[in-house]
Amino acid sequence: MATPPKKTPPKSPRRKRRVSKWRVFLVTFGSAFTLACIALLIYALYAVAGTPDWHPDTLTNQKQTSFIYDMGEKQIAELHATEDRQMVASSEIPDLVKKTFVAVEDKRFYDHFGVDPIRIVGSLIADIKSQSFREGASTITMQLANNAFIENPREKTLVRKIQQAALAIQLEREYTKDEILTFYLNRIFFGESSFGIQAAAKTYFGHELSELTPDEIALLARLPQAPSAYNPYYHPETAKERRNIVLGVMKAAGLITPEEYTQYLEAPFTHVENVKANRAESEKPTFSGADYAYPYFVDHVIEELINEHGLNEDQIYNGGLRIYTTVDTKIQAAAEKEFANAKNFPQSVDETPVQGAMTVLDPSTGAIRALVGGRDHSTARGLNRATQAYRQPGSTVKPLVVYAPAMEKGGFFPGTVLDDMPVKYNAGNGKVWAPTNYDTEYAGWRGLISMRFAVQNSVNIYAVKLMNIIGVEYSWNFGKNNLGLPLEENDKVLSLALGTNHVSTLDMASAYGVFAYNGVRATPHAIVKVLDSSGKEIITPTIKVERTMKETSAYLMNSMLRSVVTSGTGTRAQVGNWAVAGKTGTTSLDPDIYGYRTGNPDAWFAGYTPNYVGVVWMGYDKDDETLTHYLRQVYGGGFPAQIWKNVMTVAHDGLTVQTEFKRPAGIVSGSYDTKSGLLPSSLTPKDFVRTEIAAQGNFPTQVSDIWVEKEIDKDHPAYLAGTGTVNKEKKVFLNITGRDPETPWPSDEKPFQMPKEEYNATPPPTETTTPPLGDAGIPVPIPGIVVYDASQQTAMLPVTYPAGSEGHTLTIYVKFPDQDFIQTYSTQHEISEEIRIPLSVDGESPSPGEYRFWVSLVNSEGVAGNPSEGASLSITD
């Protein structure tokens, strides 16, 4: 029988377990923490993924300030764009500087791996307590990473912090602590456009990093935290307060003694105060743009680096270059002083100043010793008139394109004679060019003159005629190729002889330097060498020194240009006993624009000694519609020559005086006729015989034929002796043909002007005939009572002269009793109050009878006036 199944008793309901709240909290917090960590890791990975690329060169190839040095390798200028950065090696940074920055910025610097966890925690706690995020946790390595590699280093975000940390760790793996600290000190910003500890030392204290004192180091250690707030130029009290806090840190770290701490607490900001006192227009110094000594010279150095050596502005301003130049600061300072003196310039017609420029060269090397491009310098690399203002040189170009080419071509010497008389040339297009001299209108023409005289007195006609003889092409080529003048094709015209081309003072100084250096030309330059930031020489200019004209030709130019300074238009340029040669020059107003106004746009003086050559230009930059901006009675021998003299006096101070230019072999000398340029003849008057020099082979060998001897009618000296002339006299004349008969001869030649025709005597007058009438405009003298001196057989005739008789000579007419005509007895050389008239004829005693006497005056042109009333004398046996 089957057993019935057992009945299971019914189960009671199961109780639910009670979950602990703590466990819930832990599970929830753990989950959230895990998720946060995952999120943070993802965020960190995201941030690290955006970390800027690693470029180690960024640390070494930074923008660095470039330095310029003078000829003595003394620093004169710093060049930088918006940053003044001056790199220094670790060994150049004082140990106290390094330790102070570590103590202030990152005291566990030498212990952490680029990130300081302790500092991070401490900063976080401080931020929580202050409920702000002011505390930074960046180490020196993180700051370096931020400054060097982060595009916007001032942006404060968590992403930036993570990226800084990543870069800092990488920096610590690549470099030593000392290298990192050196990079940091060379990069951080100290305010006032100064980047790096060296630039900051100069900016705030005016000296080198190695010369910093503890109080100065303390200020610099605090500045990077807030360069503007702690700037002593603007906030001296705040700067002092923060500096003293750092002094306390230094004392606590054992870097300075308590005594030093007390000593430096009240230290003044001496350099800052001096800068502020000397800059009336600004309280802060500016370290970019035009704020450097000798600005025009430095500007030219920059242009030379760009235009001749191929550097760009970034390389120049940010490349940390060491640029060694040719400037002599003694001469440069003297030149700037003269250009700053208003007394050295004429008064302007309005507010627009008369400008000027000057260049000084060492002719033996081509080195530019001084360069001034204007009376002020308001804009960096603005108009530098010494090198960029191309003006017409006027007569200063004559030695370069006329006289030197003639000497070099041969066949000419300083005594070569040409005729300074009116001349006309075909100017093309049916036009005629008739050049004149600057003083012809009031001084007249000079006639036959030598080359030396023409150079000395800046005679235009001579220069034009000589260029026409030697050829415009030859002159142009010599000026351009031998002397380096920037001549253009359109300058290849005859007016080039008068300076219608365009040049700068640098161009002219270089060209004149060939004369000073005895015919050798050296490439003009301002740069000696350039080193890069590592000290490697990257630029060494190639200076070409070559002979471009014969030594004898150069010496002859030196001799003639010496005459300009000793007795010509440039006498104001004499410097003590120094041998000084030079040339003045002015340009003329364009008559098509200015009409008949007198004045000149440009005034020049080019001068040199055996040691230096200098050129000065003066004038307005430009004229406007008022047509008033031109010089008035200002010439090269005036203001420009005076500036030249003042600068050169300083330049030659202390040098051994050289009274002569070196005379080479091949120079000969001898006497010559100054009216023919040939050897004197027996007829050459002694007043026209001079001694002159020449290159061997170019002194004349032909005897002068310009003087001729002719007979004149002694009674009528304005005429040659003619048929029937009884009273004749031989006289020497100049045999000159081809002159315009309407043009007056110069005063030294007029006495030798040959009469035009013979005197043809008229039939003897009757006894009743009086002397011929003359020019009624000439004063008539009054004869007195005639007295006879029997012992001398002479008549003594007193004469009274009316006003206006000065400058005249006296002619005497006599009627002898035994003659039936009136005789022109004598022409006196000068008027006298008593005239003695010999009455004896051929040794015979005077015939008895009545003698009649008349007198008349003769002017300087040989024209006689009306005769006087007659005076009588009776002689008995």
Side-chain angles (χ1 to χ4, degrees):
M1 186 175 158
T3 302
K6 292 182 179 181
K7 292 184 180 181
T8 304
K11 294 181 180 179
S12 59
R14 186 180 289 180
R15 288 184 184 179
K16 292 183 178 180
R17 280 189 187 179
R18 203 167 173 187
V19 180
S20 168
K21 290 182 179 181
W22 177 247
R23 183 177 180 182
V24 172
F25 170 77
L26 289 177
V27 170
T28 303
F29 178 79
S31 299
F33 181 77
T34 301
L35 290 174
C37 288
I38 293 172
L40 184 60
L41 178 60
I42 294 172
Y43 187 81
L45 291 173
Y46 165 78
V48 171
T51 300
D53 294 338
W54 170 257
H55 293 294
D57 288 347
T58 304
L59 296 172
T60 54
N61 296 334
Q62 303 181 64
K63 291 183 178 181
Q64 300 180 44
T65 297
S66 295
F67 300 92
I68 297 180
Y69 302 88
D70 66 9
M71 62 180 289
E73 300 192 357
K74 179 181 178 182
Q75 182 183 319
I76 60 170
E78 299 175 2
L79 299 179
H80 50 83
T82 56
E83 299 179 4
D84 178 17
R85 189 187 301 279
Q86 303 172 21
M87 300 290 288
V88 290
S90 174
S91 59
E92 298 176 271
I93 303 174
D95 192 52
L96 183 58
V97 170
K98 294 179 181 179
K99 291 180 177 179
T100 300
F101 271 82
V102 169
V104 172
E105 291 290 326
D106 188 0
K107 60 184 177 182
R108 281 179 294 276
F109 173 69
Y110 290 102
D111 299 323
H112 60 63
F113 54 90
V115 178
D116 187 354
I118 298 176
R119 187 170 185 178
I120 292 174
V121 173
S123 297
L124 181 60
I125 294 173
D127 285 341
I128 293 173
K129 288 182 177 180
S130 64
Q131 296 183 351
S132 69
F133 294 96
R134 294 180 180 178
E135 293 295 325
S138 296
T139 63
I140 285 178
T141 313
M142 291 175 67
Q143 291 182 54
L144 174 61
N146 184 56
N147 185 278
F149 302 108
I150 303 300
E151 183 176 351
N152 185 5
R154 295 191 178 186
E155 185 180 359
K156 294 183 178 180
T157 64
L158 183 58
V159 170
R160 286 288 181 250
K161 286 295 182 183
I162 294 172
Q163 291 175 348
Q164 288 176 28
L167 288 168
I169 293 171
Q170 190 168 359
L171 280 172
E172 292 278 352
R173 294 174 58 190
E174 296 287 338
Y175 299 101
T176 66
K177 289 289 187 179
D178 189 64
E179 288 174 328
I180 291 172
L181 183 58
T182 301
F183 287 142
Y184 170 77
L185 292 174
N186 276 321
R187 289 197 69 95
I188 51 175
F189 179 56
F190 288 86
E192 296 297 323
S193 300
S194 299
F195 288 77
I197 190 74
Q198 170 75 344
K202 291 185 177 181
T203 298
Y204 295 103
F205 307 111
H207 51 233
E208 298 294 326
L209 176 61
S210 59
E211 301 171 325
L212 291 177
T213 55
D215 59 304
E216 295 170 342
I217 294 172
L219 175 66
L220 296 182
R222 178 57 68 176
L223 272 174
Q225 296 180 4
S228 297
Y230 305 153
N231 188 331
Y233 283 102
Y234 291 119
H235 309 291
E237 292 302 320
T238 304
K240 180 179 178 181
E241 176 187 342
R242 295 297 173 173
R243 177 199 66 187
N244 291 348
I245 290 174
V246 176
L247 283 173
V249 174
M250 295 169 72
K251 181 183 72 170
L255 302 179
I256 59 174
T257 65
E259 290 76 18
E260 288 176 314
Y261 170 76
T262 303
Q263 172 189 350
Y264 291 117
L265 282 176
E266 298 301 323
F269 298 124
T270 305
H271 178 71
V272 170
E273 293 169 358
N274 288 338
V275 170
K276 291 168 68 174
N278 293 325
R279 290 176 178 268
E281 297 181 358
S282 174
E283 289 191 354
K284 79 165 192 173
T286 303
F287 291 97
S288 61
D291 187 57
Y292 36 68
Y294 319 124
Y296 281 114
F297 180 84
V298 172
D299 282 353
H300 176 67
V301 168
I302 296 170
E303 298 304 319
E304 193 170 302
L305 288 170
I306 294 172
N307 298 324
E308 297 185 24
H309 301 292
L311 297 187
N312 57 44
E313 293 185 355
D314 184 65
Q315 291 171 302
I316 295 170
Y317 286 98
N318 300 317
L321 305 178
R322 300 296 188 268
I323 305 163
Y324 295 87
T325 73
T326 61
V327 68
D328 185 328
T329 55
K330 179 180 76 171
I331 304 175
Q332 179 72 30
E336 291 184 1
K337 178 182 177 182
E338 294 304 318
F339 275 75
N341 186 352
K343 294 181 180 179
N344 288 330
F345 291 83
Q347 181 65 43
S348 179
V349 294
D350 53 24
E351 297 302 315
T352 303
V354 175
Q355 278 294 349
M358 183 177 191
T359 299
V360 179
L361 290 177
D362 178 346
S364 65
T365 63
I368 301 174
R369 297 305 186 201
L371 190 148
V372 178
R375 296 176 66 179
D376 54 16
H377 187 273
S378 56
T379 305
R381 296 173 62 196
L383 176 62
N384 193 336
R385 297 171 186 84
T387 60
Q388 298 170 337
Y390 286 85
R391 308 289 294 226
Q392 290 188 342
S395 292
T396 52
V397 86
K398 292 174 183 174
L400 307 175
V401 298
V402 179
Y403 300 117
M407 294 296 97
E408 191 73 2
K409 191 169 188 177
F412 302 92
F413 78 117
T416 297
V417 170
L418 296 176
D419 200 10
D420 177 50
M421 281 289 174
V423 65
K424 295 180 180 179
Y425 295 97
N426 181 5
N429 298 323
K431 295 182 178 180
V432 174
W433 180 46
T436 60
N437 298 318
Y438 72 95
D439 60 352
T440 299
E441 185 175 347
Y442 58 86
W445 299 92
R446 292 180 170 86
L448 295 170
I449 56 175
S450 68
M451 185 185 297
R452 183 180 294 276
F453 182 92
V455 173
Q456 180 177 315
N457 294 279
S458 198
V459 182
N460 289 342
I461 302 302
Y462 189 107
V464 174
K465 286 184 174 182
L466 183 57
M467 177 178 279
N468 192 51
I469 293 171
I470 64 177
V472 174
E473 183 85 21
Y474 183 86
S475 293
W476 185 90
N477 282 326
F478 187 89
K480 183 176 183 66
N481 301 324
N482 294 56
L483 302 182
L485 293 176
L487 299 178
E488 305 292 341
E489 279 295 322
N490 57 9
D491 295 323
K492 204 176 290 184
V493 291
L494 199 55
S495 61
L496 172 62
L498 304 185
T500 53
N501 59 308
H502 293 81
V503 292
S504 68
T505 61
L506 177 57
D507 297 325
M508 295 295 280
S510 177
Y512 269 91
V514 178
F515 300 158
Y517 196 37
N518 307 313
V520 176
R521 183 171 186 265
T523 306
H525 61 285
I527 295 171
V528 176
K529 62 181 178 180
V530 178
L531 310 182
D532 65 14
S533 59
S534 66
K536 178 183 177 182
E537 191 164 320
I538 59 172
I539 293 177
T540 305
T542 300
I543 308 304
K544 192 174 183 180
V545 179
E546 60 178 339
R547 177 165 297 283
T548 58
M549 65 186 296
K550 290 177 287 191
E551 194 171 6
T552 52
S553 300
Y555 180 76
L556 293 173
M557 293 307 306
N558 294 340
S559 176
M560 287 190 287
L561 293 172
R562 182 94 173 89
S563 299
V564 174
V565 177
T566 57
S567 53
T569 58
T571 53
R572 286 193 181 185
Q574 297 181 57
V575 178
N577 294 323
W578 277 91
V580 176
K583 186 70 186 75
T584 59
T586 56
T587 58
S588 302
L589 295 174
D590 186 341
D592 293 337
I593 299 175
Y594 292 88
Y596 294 99
R597 299 186 193 182
T598 58
N600 48 291
D602 309 276
W604 294 77
F605 183 76
Y608 58 93
T609 69
N611 294 71
Y612 295 108
V613 55
V615 175
V616 177
W617 165 82
M618 187 173 291
Y620 286 95
D621 284 336
K622 60 181 179 180
D623 203 352
D624 53 26
E625 63 275 2
T626 65
L627 299 182
T628 58
H629 295 127
Y630 56 87
L631 302 176
R632 294 159 174 81
Q633 296 184 332
V634 176
Y635 307 101
F639 288 111
Q642 186 62 51
I643 290 175
W644 187 94
K645 174 181 179 177
N646 294 345
V647 174
M648 286 300 180
T649 298
V650 174
H652 289 80
D653 184 41
L655 300 179
T656 301
V657 176
Q658 297 186 55
T659 58
E660 300 290 341
F661 289 96
K662 180 183 176 182
R663 180 167 178 161
I667 296 293
V668 298
S669 64
S671 298
Y672 82 109
D673 183 329
T674 62
K675 287 300 174 180
S676 67
L678 304 174
L679 297 178
S681 72
S682 59
L683 296 178
T684 303
K686 63 179 182 179
D687 289 344
F688 297 97
V689 178
R690 302 280 172 82
T691 299
E692 190 53 272
I693 59 175
Q696 194 166 14
N698 289 327
F699 202 87
T701 57
Q702 183 181 347
V703 176
S704 175
D705 59 357
I706 200 168
W707 299 96
V708 294
E709 190 175 60
K710 297 285 185 178
E711 286 186 329
I712 63 168
D713 186 323
K714 190 174 182 181
D715 296 332
H716 304 87
Y719 294 89
L720 293 172
T723 304
T725 300
V726 176
N727 198 5
K728 300 178 181 181
E729 181 182 22
K730 289 184 177 181
K731 189 175 180 182
V732 173
F733 295 99
L734 281 167
N735 185 26
I736 302 175
T737 60
R739 282 184 175 174
D740 183 348
E742 301 299 320
T743 302
W745 282 31
S747 59
D748 69 326
E749 293 180 357
K750 188 167 183 57
F752 302 95
Q753 186 173 2
M754 192 183 303
K756 299 181 181 65
E757 56 187 47
E758 298 177 352
Y759 180 75
N760 296 314
T762 58
T766 63
E767 184 178 347
T768 58
T769 303
T770 60
L773 295 176
D775 188 338
I778 296 176
V780 179
I782 302 172
I785 298 175
V786 186
V787 178
Y788 178 61
D789 182 353
S791 63
Q792 300 293 327
Q793 297 183 342
T794 60
M796 292 178 289
L797 175 65
V799 180
T800 302
Y801 300 94
S805 299
E806 297 81 0
H808 292 71
T809 57
L810 191 68
T811 292
I812 304 167
Y813 303 95
V814 182
K815 167 67 173 63
F816 286 79
D818 56 353
Q819 296 178 348
D820 58 358
F821 62 90
I822 294 174
Q823 179 176 325
T824 303
Y825 192 81
S826 174
T827 298
Q828 304 297 317
H829 289 291
E830 59 182 13
I831 58 177
S832 176
E833 293 182 356
E834 186 175 74
I835 308 299
R836 299 182 69 89
I837 307 168
L839 300 182
S840 172
V841 179
D842 297 330
E844 299 291 335
S845 296
S847 300
E850 183 178 7
Y851 291 78
R852 293 278 289 172
F853 303 89
W854 297 265
V855 290
S856 68
L857 292 177
V858 180
N859 67 17
S860 59
E861 302 293 327
V863 178
N866 286 329
S868 66
E869 294 293 331
S872 299
L873 171 67
S874 295
I875 298 178
T876 59
D877 292 338

